[in-house]
């Protein structure tokens, strides 16, 4: 189709006939990926940034509304927005309160058929620091629903692919901070993914892409502090046991899905940039600790086993070395395999480097078998960049310590990692590719 013919389809996106809307969108969808010859028809009319207020073009407004349509149409609408969201001009439009509240509420609803596509879109949007800030402060309206497996109904999620419960929950809606609910939904998604029968799953989506959202958030200082500030274990209640939100993510460093474990690995590394959190990050989960500036106590995170296990292979160690290791790494089976993705192996090594920036951190790593694990890793590593970072870590752990090294500063080897973690609205490497 020519550009003029495609433009003639745009008014049909809000036609009263659902079949007409679906046919028009299916013909336009092919022009949404980056590099498509007529992609500009979706972007024309958008303000070029600066101090101008974010505005919708007619076609973007229609796509946002079509995300609430019936299954086939909503599926294509979400796909189109995922493809288009690599353009920074759209970030403001897709982050405006009405649509942003719907998007997050839709992900939170356990019945949402397209929650994974919605999570992909949220992942792309949180590449922007402004969207991260909006998500950190976002409250969603929810009704307590004892009959629901998640015990609540997100009011703004109601749409064609996510009907309201019957009977409708009584009572008045409550505003609840969205991000703790997203963390719990992410955990529930992993459980759902293990159930083959979709009708018996706790959630329709596995929500793996929320790990990328958490990684993007943790690049920012407020985002890091969210994961390292104790909160009620049940996000729908203001009382009860408090725990660090990061503790709910740690178990996924060995998950079978690369997206999930990769996002979690990056979140852990980003949190390790905060030196004042190192005691809590490495303390056992039987000890109550605080992370300044918060004065609330919660159980230690004990992240070391979760960082080391992906780096460990089937090697056998001497009994003396074996006893140094955290219990989870002792006597691993001969079938144990290392993390296959070199980027993720590098991420975990960088986390260990960050934890080595203080004398206390280095001593803790030495006393818990880190050198033994990374020595075996180095002997089997085939990627030069990973090997180079392992060698830097070895040099730090095997160095002679003195009074002048009681508190080490930022490791020069990590300066490049810090630059990688700066938020860049135009950084397309962090965005999801065409789908």
């Amino acid at each position: 189709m020519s550009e003029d013919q495609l433009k003639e389809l745009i008014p049909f996106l809000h036609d009263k006939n659902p079949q007409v809307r679906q046919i028009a969108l299916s013909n336009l969808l092919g022009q949404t990926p980056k590099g498509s010859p007529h992609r500009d028809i979706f972007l024309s009319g958008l303000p070029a940034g600066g101090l101008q207020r974010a505005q919708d073009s007619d076609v973007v407004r229609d796509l946002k509304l079509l995300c609430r349509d019936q299954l086939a149409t909503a599926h294509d609408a979400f796909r189109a927005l995922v493809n288009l969201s690599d353009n920074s001009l759209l970030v403001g439009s897709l982050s405006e309160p009405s649509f942003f509240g719907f998007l997050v509420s839709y992900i939170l609803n356990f019945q949402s058929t397209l929650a994974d596509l919605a999570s992909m879109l949220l992942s792309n949007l949180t590449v922007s620091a402004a969207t991260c800030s909006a998500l950190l402060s976002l409250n969603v309206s929810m009704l307590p629903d004892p009959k629901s497996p998640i015990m609540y109904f997100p009011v703004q999620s109601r749409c064609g692919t996510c009907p309201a419960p019957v009977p409708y929950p009584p009572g008045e809606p409550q505003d609840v901070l969205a991000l703790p609910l997203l963390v719990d939904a992410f955990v529930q998604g992993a459980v759902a993914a293990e159930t083959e029968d979709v009708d018996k799953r706790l959630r329709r989506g596995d929500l793996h892409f929320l790990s990328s959202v958490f990684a993007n958030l943790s690049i920012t200082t407020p985002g890091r502090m969210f994961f390292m500030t104790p909160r009620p274990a049940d996000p729908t209640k203001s009382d009860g046991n408090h725990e660090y939100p990061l503790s709910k993510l740690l178990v996924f460093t060995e998950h079978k899905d690369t997206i999930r474990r990769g996002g979690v690995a990056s979140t852990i590394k980003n949190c390790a940039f905060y030196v004042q959190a190192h005691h809590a990050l490495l303390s056992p989960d039987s000890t109550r600790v605080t992370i300044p500036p918060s004065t609330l106590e919660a159980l230690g995170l004990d992240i070391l086993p979760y960082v080391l296990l992906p780096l460990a292979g089937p090697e056998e160690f001497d009994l003396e070395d074996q006893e140094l290791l955290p219990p989870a790494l002792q006597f691993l089976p001969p079938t144990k395999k290392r993390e296959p993705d070199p980027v993720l192996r590098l991420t975990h090594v960088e986390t260990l480097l960050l934890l080595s920036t203080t004398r206390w951190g280095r001593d803790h790593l030495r006393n818990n078998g880190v050198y033994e694990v990374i020595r075996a890793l180095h002997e089997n590593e085939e990627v030069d960049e990973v090997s180079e970072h392992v060698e830097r870590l070895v040099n730090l752990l095997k160095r002679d310590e003195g009074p002048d090294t009681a508190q080490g500063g930022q490791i020069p080897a990590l300066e490049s990692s810090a630059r990688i973690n700066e938020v860049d609205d135009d950084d397309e490497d962090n965005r999801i590719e065409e789908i």
Side-chain angles (χ1 to χ4, degrees), residues 176 261 370:
V176 179
R261 67 178 188 272
V370 171

Side-chain angles (χ1 to χ4, degrees), residues 51-88:
L51 298 177
Q52 298 183 67
R53 182 181 175 184
Q55 298 177 2
D56 289 349
S57 63
D58 290 342
V59 64
V60 171
R61 182 173 60 251
D62 285 338
L63 289 175
K64 288 160 64 176
L65 290 172
L66 290 174
C67 287
R68 305 170 189 256
D69 213 316
Q70 299 305 310
L71 180 59
T73 305
H75 179 275
D76 286 354
F78 272 120
R79 283 184 62 192
L81 290 179
V82 169
N83 291 340
L84 292 168
S85 58
D86 70 339
N87 191 298
S88 60

Side-chain angles (χ1 to χ4, degrees), residues 7-86:
K7 285 182 178 179
E8 290 177 0
L9 292 174
I10 291 176
F12 292 104
L13 292 177
H14 49 260
D15 192 272
K16 292 182 179 180
N17 188 323
Q19 287 185 314
V20 171
R21 295 196 300 268
Q22 201 278 320
I23 293 171
L25 179 54
S26 65
N27 281 278
L28 289 165
L29 179 62
Q31 298 301 319
T32 57
K34 186 178 180 181
S36 300
H38 305 304
R39 196 185 196 218
D40 287 347
I41 64 175
F42 298 96
L43 306 174
S44 60
L46 293 173
L51 298 177
Q52 298 183 67
R53 182 181 175 184
Q55 298 177 2
D56 289 349
S57 63
D58 290 342
V59 64
V60 171
R61 182 173 60 251
D62 285 338
L63 289 175
K64 288 160 64 176
L65 290 172
L66 290 174
C67 287
R68 305 170 189 256
D69 213 316
Q70 299 305 310
L71 180 59
T73 305
H75 179 275
D76 286 354
F78 272 120
R79 283 184 62 192
L81 290 179
V82 169
N83 291 340
L84 292 168
S85 58
D86 70 339

Side-chain angles (χ1 to χ4, degrees), residues 308 311-312 315 317-318 320-322 324-325 338 365-379 394 397-398:
L308 281 182
L311 300 177
E315 294 81 16
F317 297 106
D318 295 337
E320 184 178 347
D321 292 338
Q322 194 83 248
L324 287 174
L325 298 171
R338 286 187 176 83
L365 268 56
R366 290 171 183 134
N367 295 333
N368 285 272
V370 171
Y371 170 71
E372 284 67 31
V373 173
I374 63 169
R375 180 184 61 190
L377 168 65
H378 188 262
E379 290 172 355
V394 169
L397 297 180
K398 300 303 286 185

Side-chain angles (χ1 to χ4, degrees), residues 68-383:
R68 305 170 189 256
D69 213 316
Q70 299 305 310
L71 180 59
T73 305
H75 179 275
D76 286 354
F78 272 120
R79 283 184 62 192
L81 290 179
V82 169
N83 291 340
L84 292 168
S85 58
D86 70 339
N87 191 298
S88 60
L89 297 180
L90 272 179
V91 171
S93 170
L94 298 179
S95 302
E96 55 84 16
S98 176
F99 181 75
F100 200 57
F102 159 73
L103 179 66
V104 174
S105 298
Y106 185 81
I107 294 169
L108 290 173
N109 195 313
F110 74 100
Q111 295 191 86
S112 297
T113 309
L114 304 174
D116 287 328
L117 278 174
S119 299
M120 293 171 73
L121 178 57
L122 185 62
S123 174
N124 278 2
L125 295 178
T126 50
V127 172
S128 160
T131 308
C132 287
S133 178
L135 182 56
L136 283 164
S137 61
L138 179 68
N139 287 302
V140 292
S141 183
M142 52 156 279
L143 279 169
D145 185 6
K147 296 183 179 180
S148 165
I150 61 173
M151 304 301 290
Y152 65 87
F153 169 61
V155 177
Q156 290 175 271
S157 65
R158 186 174 181 176
C159 62
T161 55
C162 188
V166 178
Y168 196 78
E172 291 296 320
Q174 306 169 6
D175 285 342
V176 179
L177 192 64
L179 192 49
L181 295 172
L182 284 174
V183 172
D184 274 15
F186 176 71
V187 175
Q188 295 163 358
V191 177
E194 300 297 324
T195 306
E196 294 184 4
D197 189 343
V198 176
D199 293 332
K200 294 181 180 179
R201 292 174 58 155
L202 173 61
R203 287 183 171 273
R204 295 294 183 93
D206 49 39
L207 306 184
H208 295 322
F209 278 94
L210 285 183
S211 66
S212 300
V213 174
F214 303 148
N216 291 338
L217 286 169
S218 63
I219 291 172
T220 70
T221 299
R224 278 196 289 270
M225 296 318 299
F226 164 79
F227 288 106
M228 296 187 292
T229 301
R231 301 192 61 84
D234 184 344
T236 63
K237 299 178 181 178
S238 58
D239 54 4
N241 292 329
H242 282 60
E243 62 184 4
Y244 293 105
L246 182 63
S247 67
K248 295 183 177 182
L249 308 184
L250 298 175
V251 69
F252 300 116
T253 58
E254 287 261 284
H255 194 271
K256 63 183 180 181
D257 185 85
T258 305
I259 297 296
R260 179 174 282 258
R261 67 178 188 272
V264 168
S266 294
T267 304
I268 296 171
K269 185 186 86 168
N270 291 337
C271 288
F273 272 95
Y274 188 54
V275 175
Q276 290 176 284
H278 286 187
H279 271 275
L281 291 173
L282 293 171
S283 292
D285 56 11
S286 57
T287 304
R288 300 189 71 82
V289 288
T290 60
I291 297 179
S294 173
T295 58
L296 289 174
E297 286 188 341
L299 295 176
L301 289 149
D302 195 20
I303 71 169
L304 196 54
Y306 302 101
V307 175
L308 281 182
L309 201 54
L311 300 177
E315 294 81 16
E316 295 183 9
F317 297 106
D318 295 337
L319 185 59
E320 184 178 347
D321 292 338
Q322 194 83 248
E323 291 176 346
L324 287 174
L325 298 171
L329 280 90
Q330 294 181 9
F331 305 107
L332 294 175
T335 55
K336 174 66 173 73
K337 295 182 180 179
R338 286 187 176 83
E339 166 59 56
D341 190 319
V343 174
L344 301 192
R345 293 199 301 275
L346 178 60
T347 300
H348 289 304
V349 173
E350 287 179 332
T351 299
L352 294 173
L353 277 166
L354 285 164
L355 295 171
S356 301
T357 54
T358 63
R359 171 67 181 272
W360 180 88
R362 291 192 293 276
D363 285 343
H364 186 89
L365 268 56
R366 290 171 183 134
N367 295 333
N368 285 272
V370 171
Y371 170 71
E372 284 67 31
V373 173
I374 63 169
R375 180 184 61 190
L377 168 65
H378 188 262
E379 290 172 355
N380 294 274
E381 184 56 61
E382 298 179 351
V383 178

